[in-house]
């Protein structure tokens, strides 16, 4: 077993780290709550698994019926340090007892400044940086585009196939997938252009040619169709999230970043899902030494509290006039304290190394599973961000139906997994970085059993 995996979540003695299925899933209490939900909550808000959570921490979530499920979702890469991390809980409670809000734009406070200082220090690059705080990943990406347009005086924004950047009007425009994110919500924002993504499994020229050919095509299309001098920013996820955990091959990001640098285009790394140790680096773009002009972060930044950030070169962010950035709740003091606790936990708990250890366990197991099941067309990921893509055997035709059936069987057996992908045919795995190793291995056993039963 890897020495890098967390085997004893501190402060979680109250919550047994075990898979326990005592009713059908969802059970009667969750079904009753689901009936209340149907009468009160807009149906456009969906849930992966309608079990109603009453407790969570370490590597488990416990529902209203007493079932304890292994968590391979982390609230979509949010609870990297666990759902009930003691450092986070203590600092949140202490700050809530002092004050919950003043609005940083009205009467500021130190914790906002401290979070910005930490992000300026920790994000890639040793240049002088500035940061400001907002509420969500979509808000961070939208503000990054605002800043890029303001600083460059240009309007065009380039994004990529299979990308996901949020649900606001602009970030829906940036997002590639129609259903469920965009369908019926247009018209969309102008001056957004989409380029081919380096997707090794589906690249027509084969994975060995993917990096160079995808970069060449993207650069050629930008030059011919838009004009490099009109582009304010290229916005890209270093590993795509909702698009199916697409990991571009080495060389693609560096080629795109180099093109941006040569043409005065700002390279914006959307690290909303990949940031804060998830991929085995503190930030995913560090894998190839890519230094973005602007980086957006959210999700794992504050252990479940709403917070996001835009960090970038000082000479870029300093161009915006006072009052041009901000928001009522951006950098809420309770969320800032949570973020400072998360950053302490990542460093003191060696969570970057633990994410690598999770990958060292998961990826070989997933490859072995693929060797036994022809429906698994691809295994990919980095660190604690891994996935399998399901296809009809002997082809690359997506099989979203099989993906749903495997996910449902996992859920029924007490393993919470998520689906993803432009074609709905990817099972993605995002365990908390503090998951005990025995639960990680048991979760993989449950996945194995789910495939064997189909």
């Amino acid at each position: 077993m890897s020495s890098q995996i967390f085997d004893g979540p501190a402060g979680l003695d109250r919550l047994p780290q075990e898979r326990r299925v005592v009713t059908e899933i969802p059970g009667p209490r969750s079904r009753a709550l689901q009936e209340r939900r149907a009468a009160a909550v807009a149906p456009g808000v969906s849930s992966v698994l309608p079990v109603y959570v009453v407790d969570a921490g370490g590597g488990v979530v416990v529902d209203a019926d007493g079932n304890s499920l292994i968590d391979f979702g982390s609230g979509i890469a949010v609870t990297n340090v666990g759902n009930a991390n003691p450092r986070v809980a203590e600092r949140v409670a202490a700050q809530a007892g002092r004050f919950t809000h003043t609005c940083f734009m009205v009467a500021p406070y130190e914790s906002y400044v401290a979070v910005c200082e930490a992000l300026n220090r920790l994000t890639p690059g040793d240049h002088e940086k500035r940061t400001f705080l907002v509420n969500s990943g979509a808000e961070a990406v939208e503000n990054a585009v605002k800043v890029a347009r303001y600083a460059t005086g240009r309007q065009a924004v380039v994004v990529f196939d299979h990308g996901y950047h949020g649900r606001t009007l602009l970030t829906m425009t940036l997002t590639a997938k129609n259903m469920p994110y965009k369908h019926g919500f247009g018209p969309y924002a102008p001056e957004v252009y989409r380029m081919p993504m380096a997707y090794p499994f589906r690249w027509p020229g084969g994975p060995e040619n993917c990096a160079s050919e995808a970069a060449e095509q993207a650069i050629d299309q930008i030059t011919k169709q838009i004009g490099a001098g009109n582009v304010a920013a290229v916005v890209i996820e270093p590993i795509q999230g909702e698009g199916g955990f697409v990991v571009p091959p080495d060389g693609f990001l560096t080629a795109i970043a180099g093109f941006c640098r040569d043409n005065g285009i700002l390279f914006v790394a959307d690290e909303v899902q990949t940031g804060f140790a998830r991929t085995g680096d503190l930030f995913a773009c560090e894998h190839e030494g890519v230094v973005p002009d602007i980086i957006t972060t959210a999700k794992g930044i504050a252990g479940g509290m709403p917070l996001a950030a835009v960090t970038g070169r000082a000479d870029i962010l300093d161009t915006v006039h006072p009052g041009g950035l901000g928001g009522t709740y951006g950098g809420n003091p309770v969320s800032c304290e949570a973020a400072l606790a998360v950053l302490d936990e990542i460093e003191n708990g060696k969570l970057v190394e633990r994410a690598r250890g999770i990958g060292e366990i998961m990826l070989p197991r997933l490859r072995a599973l693929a060797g036994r099941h022809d429906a698994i067309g691809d295994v990919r990921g980095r660190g604690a961000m891994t996935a399998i893509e399901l296809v009809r055997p002997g082809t690359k035709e997506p099989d979203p139906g099989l993906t749903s059936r495997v996910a449902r069987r996992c859920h029924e057996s007490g393993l919470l997994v998520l689906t993803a992908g432009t074609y709905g045919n990817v099972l993605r795995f995002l365990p908390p970085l503090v998951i005990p190793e025995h639960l990680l291995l048991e979760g993989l056993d449950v996945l194995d059993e789910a495939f064997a039963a189909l």
Side-chain angles (χ1 to χ4, degrees), residues 171-389:
T171 57
M172 270 196 303
T173 308
L174 302 178
T175 291
K177 188 175 181 179
N178 175 52
M179 183 63 78
Y181 306 119
K182 302 173 72 169
H183 185 72
F185 295 132
Y188 299 106
E191 289 297 312
V192 173
Y193 301 87
R194 197 169 312 283
M195 297 298 143
M197 179 60 184
Y199 190 157
F201 179 63
R202 296 194 171 275
W203 191 253
E208 66 279 2
N209 299 313
C210 181
S212 60
E213 291 181 357
E216 288 170 6
Q217 286 189 26
I219 290 168
D220 183 64
Q221 289 183 34
I222 292 169
T223 304
K224 290 179 178 177
Q225 297 180 19
I226 311 166
N230 296 317
V231 179
V234 167
V235 182
I236 189 167
E237 303 159 273
I239 297 176
Q240 291 182 323
E242 304 302 308
F245 284 24
V246 178
V247 183
D250 288 356
F252 176 76
L253 291 179
T254 53
I256 298 298
F259 172 76
C260 289
R261 184 173 56 253
D262 293 341
N263 289 277
I265 301 167
L266 300 186
F267 184 90
V268 179
D270 178 347
E271 294 246 18
V272 168
Q273 190 160 163
T274 53
F276 302 103
R278 172 55 57 182
T279 65
D281 289 292
L282 193 57
F283 299 99
C285 54
E286 293 178 296
H287 174 73
E288 287 191 77
V290 172
V291 177
D293 297 298
I294 299 174
I295 183 170
T296 60
T297 52
K299 288 191 183 292
I301 193 173
M305 299 299 292
L307 190 70
V310 179
T311 302
R313 286 177 14 215
D315 62 305
I316 296 169
L317 268 71
D318 284 352
T319 63
V320 180
H321 57 273
L325 304 172
T328 301
Y329 297 109
N332 171 272
V334 179
S335 295
C336 284
E337 289 292 338
L340 293 171
V342 165
L343 294 174
D344 285 344
E345 186 69 20
I346 288 173
E347 182 176 4
N348 294 325
K350 301 186 183 304
L351 296 191
V352 170
E353 294 84 355
R354 287 175 181 161
R356 291 175 189 159
I358 288 172
E360 289 168 3
I361 288 176
M362 293 197 73
L363 286 168
R365 283 285 303 267
L366 295 175
R367 291 180 185 121
L369 184 65
R372 296 192 297 276
H373 298 280
D374 292 341
I376 300 176
D378 194 30
V379 175
R380 55 182 179 256
R382 193 180 300 149
M385 184 175 182
T386 61
I388 53 177
E389 181 165 354

